[in-house]
Amino acid sequence: MNDTPVSHAESISAMYDQSTAFFLEALGGSIHYGYWPDASDSGSMVEASRRMTALMIEKLGVTAGQSVLDIGCGAGRPAVELAMATDARVTGVTISPEQVRVATELAAREGLAETVRFRRADAVDLPFAARSFDGAWLFESLLHMPDPEHVLRQTARVLRPGARVVISNVVLRGPLSPADEELLATFGELVRAPSIVPLAAYPELLARSGLTLRESLDISEHSVRGTYESCRDAAEKLLQTIDGGAADPAVVDLLQRTRDIAARFTGETRIGYAVLVATTA
């Protein structure tokens, strides 16, 4: 028996190595929330996912030839869409070897192998020199970081003066009930999210990290319900089609927990989603 403790980074890497294919299917080709301009819209997750990426690209505001760091790049679709839209050069980092493989193959298929590159790296110790990038985003990755301030300091370090940082993240919108606290803890365990920050705490958090908040958008009403409905339905569909006796128990457990947690989140209001724009000094 191996009693060596598993680090948080190793736990996240293992989770994404196992679940990337499912989340790509459930979340419309990228591993992040969607955006519906009309909160009552029931349009597809694929369209909503691309709208969210487009919103992030707009807020980042980079131009042709500039260099962007995608911290927690997932399977690479947002980085590829960023490069296509702006002709910027993008470097994506993730601690998941499976995500590096999937993202690299995607960039090659899109003819962007020289423009968009991916590597395995940990956000707590970014392997880049100071002032290396013209912009960065943490596209729904900061929630995985046990010490968000440290990661944001690392981000600020590798950016040039005046560069933008765009963060999309699950946020707390107000005081939580005991039931909310239990739901948040269950969600955190499922997706390895130890640090859900209150939206109101971001100005101070960013300031301590060497960044200045420029814009804060609470888009919960445009993202939460549709995203969790998509996850719930995708998990239920897979559970109905897999052979329970032959299926990997870990995969079945992941699908069951995702379905159940997503179903509870569809009516949640205190745990939301936001996009924040900050700049370096």
Side-chain angles (χ1 to χ4, degrees):
M1 180 181 295
N2 184 358
D3 294 325
T4 303
V6 176
S7 71
H8 181 71
E10 290 171 330
S11 176
I12 296 173
S13 178
M15 184 269 290
Y16 272 122
D17 285 349
Q18 178 190 74
S19 63
T20 288
F22 164 69
F23 283 119
L24 285 174
E25 174 68 23
L27 297 174
S30 295
I31 306 176
H32 60 72
Y33 286 48
Y35 182 83
W36 289 262
D38 182 345
S40 63
D41 184 13
S42 59
S44 76
M45 186 66 206
V46 172
E47 295 169 345
S49 175
R50 292 187 174 173
R51 281 193 296 265
M52 181 66 81
T53 300
L55 176 62
M56 292 287 285
I57 293 171
E58 175 192 339
K59 296 303 179 184
L60 188 59
V62 294
T63 57
Q66 289 190 308
S67 58
V68 178
L69 180 61
D70 181 350
I71 302 173
C73 61
R77 172 58 64 182
V80 165
E81 293 186 10
L82 170 61
M84 287 178 167
T86 66
D87 288 327
R89 292 177 287 108
V90 186
T91 300
V93 296
T94 171
I95 57 175
S96 165
E98 175 64 10
Q99 290 187 339
V100 171
R101 183 189 68 78
V102 172
T104 300
E105 290 180 355
L106 173 64
R109 287 199 306 273
E110 298 291 350
L112 294 169
E114 299 302 316
T115 306
V116 185
R117 299 190 176 187
F118 302 95
R119 60 183 291 183
R120 191 180 187 196
D122 195 331
V124 304
D125 187 20
L126 291 172
F128 306 107
R131 302 187 174 191
S132 296
F133 295 93
D134 299 299
W137 67 25
L138 294 101
F139 203 155
E140 213 171 293
S141 57
L142 195 62
L143 76 166
H144 294 305
M145 314 300 180
D147 187 347
E149 183 177 337
H150 175 79
V151 171
L152 290 171
R153 284 182 178 275
Q154 280 282 300
T155 303
R157 177 185 66 81
V158 301
L159 290 175
R160 298 186 176 101
R164 282 191 182 188
V165 181
V166 183
I167 300 164
S168 68
N169 212 15
V170 178
V171 296
L172 304 184
R173 305 171 77 199
L176 301 184
S177 68
D180 294 328
E181 293 278 8
E182 186 272 332
L183 176 59
L184 185 64
T186 304
F187 171 78
E189 179 184 2
L190 175 66
V191 301
R192 311 299 194 270
S195 55
I196 308 298
V197 178
L199 183 57
Y202 268 97
E204 183 179 347
L205 170 63
L206 290 164
R208 293 197 308 268
S209 308
L211 299 165
T212 301
L213 179 64
R214 301 299 184 184
E215 187 176 8
S216 176
L217 299 172
D218 182 343
I219 59 172
S220 304
E221 305 305 323
H222 300 277
S223 63
V224 172
R225 177 185 59 82
T227 298
Y228 286 114
E229 287 178 351
S230 180
C231 280
R232 178 199 64 198
D233 295 346
E236 180 61 31
K237 180 179 179 180
L238 280 174
L239 284 167
Q240 291 177 357
T241 58
I242 62 176
D243 182 346
D248 182 341
V251 173
V252 173
D253 178 66
L254 170 70
L255 294 174
Q256 290 174 336
R257 289 195 294 157
T258 298
R259 176 198 61 194
D260 297 344
I261 292 171
R264 294 175 62 188
F265 260 107
T266 55
E268 179 54 57
T269 60
R270 297 181 187 89
I271 304 170
Y273 195 85
V275 173
L276 304 106
V277 182
T279 57
T280 56

